[in-house]
Amino acid sequence: MAKKPTNKTQSESKAKGNNTKKSSSSGNIGKLLFVFAILGGLLAFYVYKLVTTPPETPKYDLEQWWGPYPKDQTIDVSIRPFKIEFSDVIVNDLRERLMHRRPFVEPLEDAGFTYGFNSKFLGQVLHYWQNKYNFKDRENFFNKFDQYITNIQGLDIHYLHVKPKVSDSVEVVPLLMLHGWPGSVREFYELIPKLITPQSGHNFVFEIIAPSLPGFGYSQGPARKEFGPLETAVVMSNLMKRIGHKHYYIQGGDAGHTVGSTIATLFPEQVLGFHTNLPINTGRVATALLFVGSLWPSTIVENRLQSRMYPLSEHIPKLLEETGYLHIQATKPDTIGIALTDSPAGLAAYILEKFSSWTNLAFKNATDGRLLEKYQLTHLLDNVMLYWASNSITTSVRIYAEAFSKRTMAMRLDDIPTEVPTWGIKFKHELMFYSDCLLKLKYKNYLHSTMVEEGGHFAAFEMPHVMAKDIFEAVKTFREFHNSQKTSPLEARGQTVKETQTKTIYDFTVKDLNGKQIKLEKYKGHVVLIVNVASQCGLTDTNYKELNILYEKYAERGLRILAFPCNQFGGQEPGSPEEIFQFTKDRGVKFDIFEKVNVNGENTHPLWNFLKTSQAGFITDFIKWNFSKFLVDRNGVPVERFAPTVSPLELEEYLDKYL
């Protein structure tokens, strides 16, 4: 007969059951936490990659037509001399409008410029413009520099072209100078003479090309939408080609910075160096770090400069207060354009108010905005006259609608790095300040920042002597940079005499991803395309896809593609050989992948030294970025070199030539 369990035994059994349930429940929670940790890690990695992976370089059309339709089939593309004219019709109409303007509303007591342009002071400005501004004298002043107009992509583009008169011992280098809004080429008139005059310690001077941006002054505005910074950059690049300059330096501020930066991004092979007086980077990573820095400023900016960036609680409200115009111009440019086109008083107030507060925010507390403390009234009105006489205020403000459109913002131009050597000058009262570490995310060869303890947004106009000195120093440094990057004699790199006498790629041995030695003589009789590749570059997807297409199309005719991973450009090939192999396998790569190498610097692989010296690059022969391409003929001789921005499918005409 079975024994009936005691109460003690029942209690122990029940407790054991409860403990088993608790243990099982804890185990399930642990598993869930582990799964969530894995998912969180994957999500964080995805977000990191999404933020840090540069976008592909946007597509652009070098010949896109921006003029009115129907398109004239006999467009005059000659370079035509031009002179600015303030005709009697323009002057008389302006004076009539100024004479018959309505009385202004009185400003608030002690408001200064805090509510905008002070109407009492505006009366003095307009009286001077109407009665004392010497239109004929200023017309002659504007025409003291040679000016031209030429049609680029359907738009008549106006530009100053000033050539220095120097001895043959002084080198002349081209400088493209780009203004912003509400400025114009007038900002450069005091600066130009300093740039075309030899300076102590420098064996070069500048040939100045200073265009009015499309839609500004006497440069025609586009007839259609979607003419943003990228399209402006293409027009400026084509202008320099039209003039005859394949390589040049750029200086820009405000919109001129944006356009100059875009040229350096799209056409790095053309730009010898980029000097900016508005060094900013609005890319995703830079913006994120800017806000992170508000918690730990010392991680982003030097202690002595922290007040220029932080606290954000002080800087952001000031920036918002000064950018109300931007929202109007980015959304309804034609509305404000109509108002300012019809009223010279309104135009003067709208433009000159910026020359007060953007020179120094403290100036807006004064009744006269302290405008005449930094500028002459005649000079300020010169700038306004360019807008009035050319009737260009509407077309000029449209640049904001295009720059801040969804289309342009999606290009993420500030997230695409450039190797062009860059130099910034930072004035104390500029509206925005970015530390060098943020700038280097965009400008991989950001060489220097000049700190100026005064000055504001219109630096070329306000402090031409400081700007001239800094531009000379920047270009001197750019030239030294290029010289340092030039391939020195092969012997200086420890290579043997035999290597200096190499004639073909067949003399070299490389390693594949498994570390196996491969003699390139195995490719004898083939046309070979050699490329430095990376897995995390903005150019990666397009290049791998098109290289595959080329290989599949031309392999039977004798094409071989040799890809060499390289981690020297933005750290975009960090993986191990196994990871690189898996990456290429996932993309169905059929051509040959080799061991990771250096293509620049002291440890450059001998093959790449040979390629660079056989087919020199733009100015210097160093490799500028991922996906530089060398085409080698059937005899093993490098015959063509292509920039990273040249897509593989664009090489088909060359392949047809050599295959």
Side-chain angles (χ1 to χ4, degrees):
M1 185 173 175
K3 234 183 203 183
K4 187 175 180 181
T6 64
N7 290 339
K8 181 179 179 181
T9 303
Q10 288 177 338
S11 298
E12 289 175 348
S13 176
K14 186 174 181 181
K16 184 177 181 181
N18 289 338
N19 288 337
T20 301
K21 289 180 182 178
K22 288 180 180 179
S23 176
S24 175
S25 177
S26 297
N28 289 335
I29 292 174
K31 290 178 181 177
L32 284 174
L33 290 175
F34 177 75
V35 170
F36 281 124
I38 293 294
L39 292 175
L42 290 173
L43 178 61
F45 179 74
Y46 172 77
V47 171
Y48 170 79
K49 294 292 290 181
L50 182 66
V51 171
T52 60
T53 301
E56 290 191 20
T57 302
K59 301 293 183 182
Y60 51 86
D61 184 350
L62 290 172
E63 298 181 358
Q64 186 169 358
W65 184 261
W66 291 104
Y69 286 115
K71 182 177 179 180
D72 191 340
Q73 299 303 312
T74 59
I75 292 295
D76 181 3
V77 294
S78 65
I79 294 176
R80 311 182 299 277
F82 179 81
K83 287 188 179 297
I84 290 174
E85 179 184 4
F86 299 148
S87 68
D88 290 342
V89 173
I90 290 174
V91 172
N92 291 336
D93 173 71
L94 172 61
R95 282 175 167 159
E96 282 289 320
R97 291 171 185 266
L98 293 172
M99 183 184 303
H100 298 293
R101 65 181 184 270
R102 296 178 68 185
F104 300 134
V105 174
E106 287 288 305
L108 296 174
E109 293 182 7
D110 301 320
F113 268 48
T114 58
Y115 277 62
F117 205 105
N118 188 286
S119 58
K120 281 189 175 180
F121 183 63
L122 181 60
Q124 300 176 42
V125 171
L126 300 183
H127 175 78
Y128 183 91
W129 196 9
Q130 177 186 343
N131 301 300
K132 297 184 179 181
Y133 184 84
N134 190 324
F135 292 93
K136 183 55 64 176
D137 177 70
R138 302 319 293 167
E139 181 183 287
N140 292 333
F141 171 83
F142 274 112
N143 291 320
K144 71 177 182 177
F145 295 136
D146 290 338
Q147 300 174 59
Y148 301 90
I149 280 184
T150 188
N151 193 277
I152 305 289
Q153 297 172 249
L155 302 178
D156 278 343
I157 301 299
H158 162 259
Y159 64 97
L160 309 180
H161 194 172
V162 188
K163 298 180 179 181
K165 297 178 180 179
V166 293
S167 67
D168 293 339
S169 62
V170 179
E171 186 178 352
V172 177
V173 299
L175 177 64
L176 174 64
M177 300 187 70
L178 301 170
H179 66 81
W181 186 93
S184 65
V185 293
R186 173 61 186 89
E187 295 177 80
F188 302 140
Y189 268 66
E190 284 71 34
L191 176 58
I192 288 174
K194 301 178 187 303
L195 295 177
I196 62 174
T197 303
Q199 302 291 315
S200 176
H202 303 283
N203 62 347
F204 60 89
V205 291
F206 297 100
E207 173 186 341
I208 304 297
I209 299 93
S212 296
L213 295 178
F216 286 74
Y218 295 96
S219 282
Q220 187 178 357
R224 282 169 296 288
K225 297 191 298 183
E226 299 190 349
F227 187 90
L230 181 144
E231 291 72 27
T232 305
V234 171
V235 169
M236 294 295 100
S237 171
N238 284 336
L239 172 65
M240 294 302 283
K241 291 178 184 176
R242 175 76 54 80
I243 293 171
H245 292 302
K246 294 181 180 179
H247 311 130
Y248 47 90
Y249 299 95
I250 298 177
Q251 197 291 317
D254 193 78
H257 161 85
T258 303
V259 175
S261 178
T262 305
I263 298 173
T265 302
L266 299 181
F267 309 107
E269 298 279 321
Q270 297 176 18
V271 184
L272 298 169
F274 176 41
H275 179 278
T276 171
N277 57 288
L278 185 66
I280 61 174
N281 176 10
T282 59
R284 289 181 178 179
V285 177
T287 301
L289 291 176
L290 176 67
F291 282 94
V292 169
S294 65
L295 301 176
W296 302 284
S298 61
T299 64
I300 299 298
V301 62
E302 300 172 56
N303 290 334
R304 67 186 180 89
L305 299 173
Q306 282 186 19
S307 62
R308 293 200 184 190
M309 287 184 71
Y310 300 110
L312 292 180
S313 58
E314 292 182 7
H315 288 278
I316 289 179
K318 291 177 182 178
L319 190 61
L320 289 174
E321 183 177 346
E322 291 303 318
T323 53
Y325 80 98
L326 186 151
H327 190 76
I328 295 173
Q329 293 172 193
T331 54
K332 300 292 190 289
D334 283 24
T335 301
I336 190 66
I338 290 169
L340 302 182
T341 295
D342 195 55
S343 170
L347 181 67
Y350 195 72
I351 289 178
L352 296 185
E353 178 254 318
K354 308 296 185 292
F355 279 84
S356 169
S357 59
W358 293 2
T359 297
N360 187 331
L361 288 176
F363 286 3
K364 62 185 177 182
N365 294 313
T367 302
D368 62 357
R370 295 171 66 178
L371 269 171
L372 305 186
E373 184 175 312
K374 292 288 186 175
Y375 311 103
Q376 295 182 36
L377 187 52
T378 293
H379 296 174
L380 291 169
L381 290 172
D382 283 344
N383 183 64
V384 178
M385 271 301 296
L386 282 186
Y387 283 92
W388 181 261
S390 63
N391 194 17
S392 63
I393 188 62
T394 300
T395 52
S396 73
V397 297
R398 285 176 182 164
I399 193 173
Y400 286 86
E402 303 299 351
F404 292 93
S405 69
K406 290 182 179 179
R407 170 181 167 273
T408 298
M409 298 290 279
M411 294 178 185
R412 293 173 54 200
L413 291 169
D414 269 0
D415 283 315
I416 303 173
T418 177
E419 290 289 311
V420 170
T422 302
W423 176 298
I425 181 169
K426 302 176 181 180
F427 290 88
K428 178 67 178 287
H429 303 296
E430 182 57 88
L431 296 176
M432 292 183 286
F433 180 92
Y434 281 74
S435 61
D436 286 6
C437 73
L438 299 184
L439 296 171
K440 289 177 181 179
L441 296 170
K442 163 70 179 178
Y443 307 103
K444 296 303 180 181
N445 287 310
Y446 189 84
L447 304 181
H448 177 75
S449 284
T450 301
M451 306 305 302
V452 185
E453 292 303 316
E454 56 181 324
H457 189 71
F458 303 99
F461 207 24
E462 178 190 356
M463 305 179 74
H465 57 292
V466 174
M467 281 286 286
K469 180 180 178 181
D470 200 62
I471 293 170
F472 268 103
E473 287 299 318
V475 172
K476 178 182 179 181
T477 304
F478 294 153
R479 289 156 67 89
E480 292 171 349
F481 171 83
H482 288 304
N483 286 334
S484 70
Q485 296 293 324
K486 285 183 179 179
T487 304
S488 57
L490 298 181
E491 294 88 348
R493 291 190 177 137
Q495 292 180 243
T496 65
V497 174
K498 180 181 177 181
E499 288 174 334
T500 69
Q501 296 172 346
T502 297
K503 301 294 183 182
T504 74
I505 66 169
Y506 305 144
D507 295 315
F508 295 94
T509 298
V510 297
K511 292 182 180 180
D512 64 15
L513 277 176
N514 297 317
K516 181 182 177 181
Q517 298 277 356
I518 304 294
K519 292 183 178 181
L520 294 186
E521 63 183 6
K522 69 174 282 190
Y523 296 99
K524 275 189 176 180
H526 292 282
V527 171
V528 178
L529 182 63
I530 302 178
V531 190
N532 65 305
V533 299
S535 303
Q536 299 178 11
C537 178
L539 303 173
T540 297
D541 290 341
T542 297
N543 274 268
Y544 267 112
K545 178 181 178 181
E546 294 189 3
L547 286 171
N548 264 336
I549 293 172
L550 280 188
Y551 185 78
E552 291 174 355
K553 185 174 180 179
Y554 293 99
E556 289 186 1
R557 293 172 56 182
L559 175 66
R560 296 293 182 267
I561 298 176
L562 283 56
F564 289 81
C566 177
N567 195 41
Q568 289 185 289
F569 305 102
Q572 295 176 349
E573 188 67 283
S576 65
E578 292 77 14
E579 291 171 326
I580 294 172
F581 171 79
Q582 189 61 47
F583 178 86
T584 56
K585 180 182 178 182
D586 292 342
R587 279 154 182 76
V589 171
K590 298 179 181 179
F591 47 84
D592 297 336
I593 309 291
F594 295 87
E595 186 181 64
K596 194 186 301 186
V597 298
N598 281 357
V599 298
N600 288 325
E602 293 182 359
N603 298 317
T604 299
H605 191 284
L607 169 65
W608 284 84
N609 275 335
F610 170 67
L611 292 171
K612 292 190 293 183
T613 54
S614 298
Q615 287 293 316
F618 155 65
I619 298 300
T620 64
D621 56 11
F622 71 100
I623 303 301
K624 277 61 169 191
W625 198 249
N626 305 308
F627 298 101
S628 294
K629 306 165 186 74
F630 292 85
L631 190 62
V632 180
D633 69 16
R634 292 185 185 274
N635 298 313
V637 178
V639 288
E640 305 284 353
R641 175 172 175 163
F642 305 93
T645 52
V646 177
S647 68
L649 292 183
E650 293 178 29
L651 309 187
E652 290 196 76
E653 62 177 294
Y654 296 92
L655 294 178
D656 287 332
K657 176 180 175 182
Y658 293 105
L659 284 171

